[in-house]
Amino acid sequence: MLTDWLMVVITAIYVGATIAIWFANNKSARMTEKQLEESKRQFAENERLQMMPYFEIIVHDDIRDFVECIELAISYSKAENSTVIDRRISIKNIGLGVAKDFTYTWCNLDGCYPRNDLGFTAFAPGEEKSIYFDFYAEHKEDFSEYEAQVSMIFYYSDLLENKYSVVLNLVFRIAKDGEVDITDYHVSIPSRIKESNNA
C-alpha cells in the first residue's frame, strides 16, 4: 500500500516536472522567435539607413548671369504690384544611397501645389544640383511690410523603395516696391513616409 502511494507521488512529480519543462521550453522558443524577429527588424533598419539619401540644401543669392528660372508665386492673389527676386538653391546628396523619384510640392500663402518642373528625378551619392527660382512677391496696396512663410516639400525614394520627405522653409520680407528679400530659411531632417494600409 505504501509502495503504491509512493509510485503515485513519484508519477505526479514526474508529470509536474514534464509540464514545467514543456512550459519553460515553449516560453524559451517564443522568446527566441521574438529575438529573431527583432534581429531581422534591426538588420532591415540598418540596411535602410545605409541606403538612405540625405540632403544638404542651401539658398544662394549669387545669380549673376541670365539663366532659365522656375517661376514660383508667393501668392496667387491678383495684386497690382509685385517684385521678382531670383535665388539659386543647391541640393547635394550627402548620404550613401541613391535618391530616385525626386520631386517637390510648393506651399505658398494660398495652398500647396505639386510641381513637375525640375528636369531631373535622381541623385547619386555625392551629386549636387543647382535649381534657379524666380520668386514673385506681391505687395500690399499701401506697400506696408509683411512677412511670408512658404516652403518646398521635397519627396524622394531610396533603392529599397522607402519614401522620404524633407522640407525647406523660407521666410520672405516684403516691403515697398522693389524691397523683397529672404530673411531666414531652414531645412528639416528627412522624414520617412509610412505607406497607408489602405493603399
Side-chain angles (χ1 to χ4, degrees):
M1 189 73 171
L2 183 60
T3 304
D4 292 342
W5 275 108
L6 189 59
M7 287 301 296
V8 168
V9 170
I10 292 172
T11 302
I13 293 172
Y14 177 77
V15 170
T18 302
I19 292 172
I21 290 170
W22 181 84
F23 274 113
N25 287 340
N26 194 38
K27 182 178 180 181
S28 176
R30 285 199 309 271
M31 290 180 65
T32 301
E33 186 177 347
K34 285 182 180 179
Q35 289 175 345
L36 183 60
E37 288 299 318
E38 178 61 18
S39 295
K40 286 181 181 178
R41 188 195 68 77
Q42 288 180 359
F43 178 80
E45 182 65 8
N46 288 337
E47 188 177 24
R48 180 186 75 80
L49 291 174
Q50 288 178 356
M51 299 290 288
M52 178 179 170
Y54 199 98
F55 290 100
E56 176 185 70
I57 302 174
I58 301 175
V59 179
H60 309 268
D61 59 358
D62 60 356
I63 299 179
R64 295 183 182 88
D65 300 324
F66 175 79
V67 291
E68 186 175 351
C69 295
I70 296 171
E71 297 180 0
L72 295 175
I74 291 173
S75 172
Y76 286 125
S77 62
K78 302 298 182 185
E80 290 185 10
N81 297 287
S82 64
T83 296
V84 180
I85 65 168
D86 48 19
R87 291 292 182 270
R88 177 174 69 92
I89 296 179
S90 64
I91 305 176
K92 183 176 183 179
N93 183 1
I94 58 175
L96 299 177
V98 173
K100 61 176 190 167
D101 305 324
F102 194 90
T103 186
Y104 76 105
T105 292
W106 170 241
C107 294
N108 66 12
L109 298 180
D110 301 315
C112 292
Y113 308 91
R115 306 280 298 199
N116 189 26
D117 49 17
L118 290 179
F120 61 87
T121 58
F123 272 94
E127 185 175 8
E128 181 175 352
K129 297 181 185 292
S130 285
I131 313 167
Y132 299 89
F133 292 98
D134 278 340
F135 294 101
Y136 284 75
E138 298 187 329
H139 297 279
K140 294 185 176 181
E141 288 185 10
D142 61 356
F143 289 102
S144 58
E145 183 175 317
Y146 71 100
E147 186 178 86
Q149 298 184 20
V150 296
S151 61
M152 295 178 185
I153 308 172
F154 296 100
Y155 298 99
Y156 55 95
S157 304
D158 63 20
L159 294 180
L160 299 174
E161 302 302 332
N162 296 296
K163 300 182 187 305
Y164 302 91
S165 67
V166 63
V167 182
L168 168 62
N169 294 294
L170 300 159
V171 180
F172 285 81
R173 183 187 66 87
I174 302 166
K176 63 184 180 181
D177 191 12
E179 265 195 38
V180 175
D181 56 8
I182 296 175
T183 58
D184 190 25
Y185 75 90
H186 66 273
V187 182
S188 72
I189 61 171
S191 175
R192 188 179 176 194
I193 301 171
K194 301 287 187 180
E195 294 291 340
S196 171
N197 293 331
N198 297 327

